[in-house]
Amino acid sequence: EDAVMWLPDAPEAKGREAIRKSYADLLAANTVTGATLADTHYQASGKLSVGWGNFTLTLSPKAGGNPVTLSGRFSVIARREGGRWVYVVDHASAHPAPSAPR
């Protein structure tokens, strides 16, 4: 219930219902045609777990048009509750634009 999610170019989603709505809006407008995670790392200590890495997500707009590929980095924090892991923080951000040559 107290989780928070930050996705690229989207407002913060706080709590289960806001996070569900965020995903529902994304999936209402798009079909996911590809998703990958790379260079992933996960570590747990006690009742907390952290993870990070890179993602690529390919979306095909249901209204038509060319597919869009999003890529970036992610970090997640999970907490063990009642014998299962639940997200506390899910953060994704786009890779920064390459620096201009000096």
Side-chain angles (χ1 to χ4, degrees), residues 2 13-14 27 29 34 40 45 50 57 60-63 65 68-69 79 82 85 87 89 101:
D2 60 347
K14 283 180 123 175
L27 297 173
T40 58
S45 180
V50 297
L57 184 65
S60 292
K62 290 181 179 177
V68 175
T69 299
R79 178 176 55 224
W85 290 101
Y87 277 117
V89 173

Side-chain angles (χ1 to χ4, degrees), residues 26-100:
L26 176 75
L27 297 173
N30 301 283
T31 299
V32 176
T33 56
T36 60
L37 298 177
D39 195 25
T40 58
H41 306 272
Y42 298 94
Q43 294 182 5
S45 180
K47 292 185 175 192
L48 289 177
S49 170
V50 297
W52 64 94
N54 296 293
F55 72 89
T56 301
L57 184 65
T58 303
L59 304 170
S60 292
K62 290 181 179 177
N66 293 327
V68 175
T69 299
L70 308 171
S71 65
R73 54 209 169 180
F74 73 90
S75 53
V76 293
I77 302 171
R79 178 176 55 224
R80 193 134 176 96
E81 288 183 2
R84 62 189 180 110
W85 290 101
V86 296
Y87 277 117
V88 176
V89 173
D90 183 359
H91 181 257
S93 60
H95 288 296
S99 299

Side-chain angles (χ1 to χ4, degrees), residues 8 22 83:
S22 242

